[in-house]
Amino acid sequence: MILLGAPGAGKGTVAKGLVDHVGVTHLSTGDMLRAAVKAGTEVGKQAQSFMDRGALVPDEVMVALIAERVSQDDCLSESGANRFLLDGFPRTLPQADALDERGLGPQAVIYLDVPTDIIVRRLTGRRSCPDCGTPFHVDFKPPKADGVCDVCEGTLVHRADDQEGPIRKRLDTYTAQTAPLVQRYADVLLTIDGNQAPGAVLEAVLAAVTGRSPE
Ligand code: AMP
């Protein structure tokens, strides 16, 4: 499965819900890249300047990263079939081609549809815990103590690319390079209204994917 949607559409939150309810391995290229930057790996060094200014990391770097990751055991079901959820990949038509060339075309593409003005509000107020990944928002989901994660007491961060300039750049890049994937995947597209409370979005996604609601 692939999760498709603008930055801030709620892909990470839906992914967490799908992991809990459907039991699928979650592959977030943004998380993988941020971990690589933190660890100072070669990929991290290549990616950091693109990420900080809200630009896309080159396709060949991304395709190599995903190809290596999906070959690991946790991306296969017991019967040996591919079983994983891509979040943030593909983001360009060549990345989608690379999946097809490897026989990894998606069975379903979950498209989270959210109006642009809502996306901008969500992204500017977004904060997250670098230790456990829990997302917060200064207005919509503030932590109990300012700047501190409710779950693990980590220090919340405001991502460098969640500042106004990079946000505008990321949305332009999304429109130009990623939005065409909606057409590309028309045959397997499940369009979900992402402009609802997180629980309602997850419920709609689960209903579309499995035909059942969260317990
Ligand atoms: P995300 O957390 O998904 O918003 O990703 C953060 C940043 O990582 C993006 O703004 C890009 O710079 C980079 N990135 C993540 N996934 C990809 C991808 N599939 N192709 C190119 N760049 C990516």
Side-chain angles (χ1 to χ4, degrees):
M1 285 188 290
I2 289 174
L3 263 175
L4 187 61
K11 299 190 294 294
T13 306
V14 165
K16 269 182 187 283
L18 279 171
V19 169
D20 290 346
H21 290 276
V22 183
V24 66
T25 297
H26 171 212
L27 306 183
S28 157
T29 43
D31 287 350
M32 289 162 73
L33 289 172
R34 281 183 288 278
V37 168
K38 203 169 168 189
T41 66
E42 200 46 48
V43 167
K45 285 179 197 150
Q46 284 175 289
Q48 183 159 27
S49 66
F50 294 99
M51 295 173 75
D52 283 351
R53 62 178 195 273
L56 291 186
V57 175
D59 286 336
E60 50 287 8
V61 176
M62 297 311 302
V63 170
L65 190 70
I66 278 294
E68 194 280 321
R69 182 64 185 86
V70 301
S71 68
Q72 295 175 18
D73 286 351
D74 63 346
C75 291
L76 293 176
S77 68
E78 277 170 20
S79 63
N82 294 301
R83 185 176 163 80
F84 50 85
L85 173 69
L86 290 173
D87 163 8
F89 187 99
R91 255 179 160 99
T92 65
L93 291 168
Q95 292 180 12
D97 292 340
L99 286 177
D100 287 349
E101 285 157 17
R102 288 165 175 74
L104 298 172
Q107 276 176 357
V109 174
I110 301 158
Y111 169 50
L112 300 179
D113 192 12
V114 181
T116 307
D117 55 325
I118 304 289
I119 290 282
V120 172
R121 270 192 78 191
R122 283 189 185 176
L123 288 177
T124 45
R126 184 158 79 169
R127 304 290 183 272
S128 60
C129 177
D131 299 331
C132 72
T134 304
F136 293 88
H137 190 283
V138 291
D139 299 321
F140 306 138
K141 192 193 165 201
K144 290 194 189 96
D146 215 17
V148 180
C149 178
D150 292 354
V151 178
C152 75
E153 300 193 342
T155 303
L156 301 184
V157 293
H158 186 186
R159 280 168 47 174
D161 59 352
D162 277 346
Q163 320 283 337
E164 208 180 318
I167 286 174
R168 224 174 299 122
K169 166 85 177 148
R170 285 161 73 203
L171 291 177
D172 289 349
T173 303
Y174 174 79
T175 304
Q177 303 207 55
T178 310
L181 293 173
V182 172
Q183 283 303 317
R184 159 75 172 250
Y185 288 130
D187 289 353
V188 286
L189 202 70
L190 304 170
T191 300
I192 306 294
D193 176 7
N195 189 17
Q196 314 177 63
V201 175
L202 178 61
E203 209 163 309
V205 168
L206 288 171
V209 169
T210 67
R212 66 187 167 89
S213 302
E215 287 94 44

